[in-house]
Amino acid sequence: MDADVIVVGAGLTGLVAAAEIADAGKRVLLLDQEGEQSIGGQAFWSLGGLFLVDSPEQRRMGVKDSHELARQDWFGSAQFDRDEDYWPRRWAEAYVDFAAGEKRSWLREMGHRVFPIVGWAERGDGRAEGHGNSVPRFHITWGTGPGVLEPFERRAREAQASGRLAFKFRHRADALTTTGGRVDGVSGAILDASTVRRGEASSRHVIGDFTLRAQAVIVASGGIGGNHDLVRQNWPKRLGDAPKYMISGVPAHVDGRMLGITEAVGARLINRDRMWHYVEGIKNWSAIWPMHGIRILPGPSPMWFDATGTRLPAPLFPGSDTLGQLHYIMSTGYDYSWFVLTQSIIKKEFALSGSEQNPDLTGKDWLMTARRATNKGAPGPVEAFKTHGVDFVVRDNLSDLVAGMNALSGDNLLKLEHLRLQIEARDREIANPFVKDAQVMNIHNARRYIGDRLTRTAKPHRILDPAHGPLIAVRLNILTRKTLGGFETDLDSRVFGRDGQIIPGLYAAGEAAGFGGGGMHGYRSLEGTFLGGCLFSGRNAGRAAAKAVG
Ligand SMILES: Cc1cc2nc3c(=O)[nH]c(=O)nc-3n(C[C@H](O)[C@H](O)[C@H](O)COP(=O)(O)OP(=O)(O)OC[C@H]3O[C@@H](n4cnc5c(N)ncnc54)[C@H](O)[C@@H]3O)c2cc1C
């Protein structure tokens, strides 16, 4: 045996699992197809947003949350409706317990901290029993994605120093080995050393091969978001046709290849048609990975128009219901839409997802972060997109703006009068606090929450008021990101075979397991639940495998 356990994938899930195994006194090998510079996988690039329930940060902001409310929101979003949702449901119950229980204190003991203003993501579809967060729950890690990874990389490095953990970078798993039906190793290719920067696509040039043996293997290889062919192949009809044009919210290593390799030993992959892609994607003007897109995390005020210039219907407001918006946009026959907003809105409300787009939070710079609340200008990365981003049109009047939008799309679908009528109608609602425009009501509601009023919601104003200009239009593309289905597992992350029996020696966790059980989110996510899913399922897998290998 080369180790007690082999973990495939040195992303957040793999690091958590490997750290748990080593800390339990077992020997672990952590394999990754990428070089050491890309350790941590997607989590490094993430915003580090975590779903926590009834936290001290929420209480300090006046938010009343509870396990009961979070459970209602989770199941209202998940809408589990399939036979194979048995384990996903059990994972969902366990995960809400974790998020309302030991998640925060477990992380805190390892030095993790969160930013004190709690964000409000996925505000919902307007139904108490339906999709969405009834209250703000999105806790951003102080230090963003790297801050989530830090304790686990530290633990893994300590285990490496003590000889219990060995990293094998540029080791690409191509097959799982079995003996008598038991998974007992990994074989694959050794790729040439790579000097690309973190996150860039690396070469696939093979310089050797390997076979490694262990008593158990944990698959922690991530999802399919970087492989648009697989995304299209699994695209659910209920969301319309798959988009012809998409940009990538994840690096190229999120290639989904390991999923097929694991299926080859009989593993059961469920809910492959459930996925979580965003509709507010913009092309990164300074791309790191192929087709690199960034997600705008919008506040509630931009007006949202489809490709033909018709406003999205209520309650499809910015930040409300990601898949509802995706469904609507795909029903228009075009795979893009538009935000129209003002300089006052962009400077207060636009945030960009990703560690590199938030140098203040990532760099743990209080002074720089405080500027978000003083509202003196948009954060530097947002202004940079406004200047360099190909999806932005900035003009002083509506007529020029619409001409610019038509020139950008090349479709010439937008009519000035059609947009003007809708914007003027909305603007008339601004003078009165008692209004019938549901989006404007939503803005007033957001401003009743101090966190939003401080950093996320501009004072209501007329879009066409030149004092708040210039006018800005942003073309929004579909951005691939998360895979909600995955390998069916029990609560110990042991993988079921297609015959319904556990496959001895095989575990799966993180995005490869639909973040636990094969899809603990069901159809929709409440956000901040993915990193947490990696932590929870990686921990379960690591602990269970360490125990099982004796
Ligand atoms: C920009 C961005 C922002 C995000 N923001 C948030 C957020 O705020 N909150 C949140 O909850 N989630 C967020 N996420 C999602 C979250 O980061 C990911 O879902 C999560 O990190 C996935 O972790 P993982 O370990 O399961 O997979 P990955 O990070 O994809 O790691 C898998 C690893 O396995 C390796 N691998 C794959 N196949 C093989 C093979 N055959 N052989 C060897 N190695 C292999 C890969 O190279 C990779 O290193 C964000 C993601 C991105 C990209």
Side-chain angles (χ1 to χ4, degrees), residues 9 12-13 32-33 42-43 46-47 49 173 222 249 482 511 528 530-531 534:
L12 177 62
T13 309
D32 204 292
Q33 60 190 351
Q42 296 178 62
S46 77
L47 186 58
K482 285 127 185 168
E511 201 163 339
F530 309 103
L531 293 166
C534 295

Side-chain angles (χ1 to χ4, degrees), residues 79-95:
Q79 297 289 327
F80 294 117
D81 62 356
R82 298 176 175 172
D83 288 345
E84 59 261 44
D85 282 332
Y86 175 77
W87 285 106
R89 266 179 210 272
R90 298 229 11 216
W91 271 87
E93 296 280 7
Y95 184 72

Side-chain angles (χ1 to χ4, degrees), residues 339-390:
F339 274 166
V340 171
L341 62 152
T342 62
Q343 176 65 21
S344 298
I345 295 173
I346 203 170
K347 74 181 181 188
K348 183 101 176 187
E349 298 197 4
F350 262 36
L352 302 171
S353 182
S355 52
E356 85 288 8
Q357 301 295 335
N358 294 276
D360 48 355
L361 296 163
T362 304
K364 303 184 182 177
D365 186 333
W366 279 113
L367 210 66
M368 210 170 152
T369 307
R371 282 193 211 124
R372 290 185 185 230
T374 57
N375 195 18
K376 287 277 181 307
V382 174
E383 281 296 335
F385 259 96
K386 216 180 89 192
T387 312
H388 305 294
V390 292

Side-chain angles (χ1 to χ4, degrees), residues 285-354:
W285 60 274
S286 173
I288 297 164
W289 55 75
M291 296 172 284
H292 190 168
I294 299 289
R295 183 198 176 200
I296 299 170
L297 298 159
S301 304
M303 288 190 78
W304 202 339
F305 298 95
D306 66 24
T308 69
T310 298
R311 193 175 174 194
L312 264 60
L316 300 181
F317 313 130
S320 62
D321 175 7
T322 293
L323 289 196
Q325 287 142 359
L326 181 54
H327 178 239
Y328 173 85
I329 290 165
M330 292 319 299
S331 76
T332 65
Y334 298 90
D335 43 28
Y336 66 93
S337 61
W338 297 98
F339 274 166
V340 171
L341 62 152
T342 62
Q343 176 65 21
S344 298
I345 295 173
I346 203 170
K347 74 181 181 188
K348 183 101 176 187
E349 298 197 4
F350 262 36
L352 302 171
S353 182

Side-chain angles (χ1 to χ4, degrees), residues 84-197:
E84 59 261 44
D85 282 332
Y86 175 77
W87 285 106
R89 266 179 210 272
R90 298 229 11 216
W91 271 87
E93 296 280 7
Y95 184 72
V96 175
D97 291 351
F98 177 64
E102 64 168 317
K103 181 177 180 183
R104 184 177 177 281
S105 55
W106 179 61
L107 286 170
R108 215 175 149 76
E109 275 164 25
M110 288 183 274
H112 176 273
R113 294 290 180 272
V114 294
F115 184 60
I117 299 180
V118 183
W120 195 354
E122 288 296 297
R123 297 172 193 217
D125 62 8
R127 296 175 303 141
E129 76 285 11
H131 170 59
N133 285 296
S134 299
V135 293
R137 293 193 177 107
F138 191 73
H139 297 67
I140 295 182
T141 298
W142 190 230
T144 67
V148 179
L149 281 168
E150 197 270 329
F152 301 99
E153 186 176 347
R154 189 183 62 230
R155 284 173 61 192
R157 298 278 184 203
E158 283 164 9
Q160 181 187 25
S162 69
R164 287 192 310 280
L165 183 151
F167 288 105
K168 297 267 180 203
F169 293 106
R170 300 299 276 162
H171 278 57
R172 185 186 70 195
D174 291 335
L176 297 174
T177 62
T178 57
T179 305
R182 179 178 194 91
V183 172
D184 61 358
V186 177
S187 65
I190 303 172
L191 306 176
D192 61 349
S194 170
T195 54
V196 298
R197 285 184 306 151

Side-chain angles (χ1 to χ4, degrees), residues 32-83:
D32 204 292
Q33 60 190 351
E34 297 304 318
E36 186 160 9
Q37 65 274 35
S38 286
I39 189 170
Q42 296 178 62
F44 176 88
W45 300 103
S46 77
L47 186 58
L50 295 180
F51 176 86
L52 294 170
V53 178
D54 193 21
S55 69
E57 289 75 21
Q58 284 173 301
R59 291 195 288 271
R60 275 197 288 272
M61 303 296 290
V63 175
K64 291 191 173 55
D65 201 4
S66 67
H67 181 278
E68 197 186 9
L69 188 62
R71 192 189 175 286
Q72 169 183 312
D73 287 348
W74 192 290
F75 281 82
S77 299
Q79 297 289 327
F80 294 117
D81 62 356
R82 298 176 175 172
D83 288 345

